[in-house]
Amino acid sequence: MKNQERLGLNDRRYREIVYASDNVLTLKKRVHELYSSVPIDLNGEICGLLGLDGRESLLDIGCGIGDFLVHLRKVQKHTGQLWGGDISSGVFREAKVKTTQENLRINFFEGSIVQLPFVRKQFDAVTALHMLSHVPLGQALKECHRVLSEQGKFIATANSLYSYPHVDKYRSMAFKMMH
């Protein structure tokens, strides 16, 4: 089922509602923090799984409000190049201003995961957190693989009623494509 059919919205309207600002994603994050039955420090867990030494270049696709990238800089003291992208700059507008004011050196770009504006093998790590169910999976994984270095690490998470039934498919496609 296509995303716009599932949502009852076309892509443009969906972006206008959800990604025009950081309001919706910030609210979702806050609700999760307050009401999760099993609280988890997802950013910390992802960092642990990636096993970063702090100097890697990292791309966070579907970065939303940029909280994972901020966590890398502020909590993990990551010094490597950090990039975050999302389908609409509205969702990370405030994060971009704040991280610039705080001199966190985080780069943000507006764009699609199926056509990333980076050269082959540019990143040591690529993350796709809670967003694979919103994009054409095969194209997205292919593009992540293209920008990932030979020994690079890829992590994706799923947190959606629509993605849970597909987690095994996501996992097998990612393992097959990324080795």
Side-chain angles (χ1 to χ4, degrees):
M1 181 182 294
K2 293 181 181 175
N3 290 334
Q4 63 257 31
E5 291 171 350
R6 179 182 70 223
L7 297 169
L9 301 168
N10 65 35
D11 286 341
R12 183 173 160 258
R13 184 74 180 123
Y14 184 73
R15 278 187 239 138
E16 288 172 0
I17 293 170
V18 178
Y19 297 108
S21 74
D22 66 356
N23 293 342
V24 172
L25 293 180
T26 300
L27 179 61
K28 284 177 141 182
K29 180 182 176 200
R30 186 69 180 134
V31 167
H32 177 73
E33 289 168 352
L34 290 172
Y35 301 107
S36 289
S37 59
V38 182
I40 183 171
D41 173 14
L42 186 61
N43 292 335
E45 291 290 327
I46 292 167
C47 288
L49 290 169
L50 283 171
L52 303 174
D53 68 18
R55 298 174 297 209
E56 298 86 356
S57 58
L58 182 136
L59 171 62
D60 184 19
I61 297 299
C63 70
I65 59 176
D67 60 325
F68 177 63
L69 299 168
V70 170
H71 175 87
L72 283 170
R73 276 287 189 252
K74 286 185 160 185
V75 177
Q76 300 292 322
K77 307 299 184 203
H78 195 91
T79 60
Q81 189 177 58
L82 298 178
W83 281 89
D86 214 306
I87 195 70
S88 170
S89 61
V91 74
F92 58 72
R93 185 176 297 120
E94 288 186 36
K96 187 174 182 178
V97 170
K98 186 175 180 181
T99 59
T100 300
Q101 289 172 343
E102 294 182 24
N103 196 30
L104 295 181
R105 299 176 339 274
I106 297 173
N107 306 291
F108 292 95
F109 72 96
E110 180 178 340
S112 170
I113 191 173
V114 299
Q115 193 172 5
L116 295 171
F118 302 105
V119 298
R120 289 174 46 78
K121 303 184 187 321
Q122 182 170 339
F123 294 97
D124 301 309
V126 174
T127 58
L129 310 178
H130 306 327
M131 54 79 60
L132 288 178
S133 62
H134 303 289
V135 298
L137 183 60
Q139 290 175 306
L141 291 174
K142 184 177 180 181
E143 193 65 352
C144 288
H145 185 255
R146 182 185 70 79
V147 300
L148 193 60
S149 68
E150 287 294 327
Q151 300 302 314
K153 298 176 181 179
F154 174 76
I155 284 195
T157 62
N159 187 22
S160 161
L161 293 175
Y162 302 110
S163 61
Y164 289 142
H166 306 287
V167 170
D168 286 335
K169 179 175 89 171
Y170 295 170
R171 184 181 296 118
S172 64
M173 284 182 75
F175 279 126
K176 183 177 179 180
M177 192 171 292
M178 311 269 185
H179 308 291

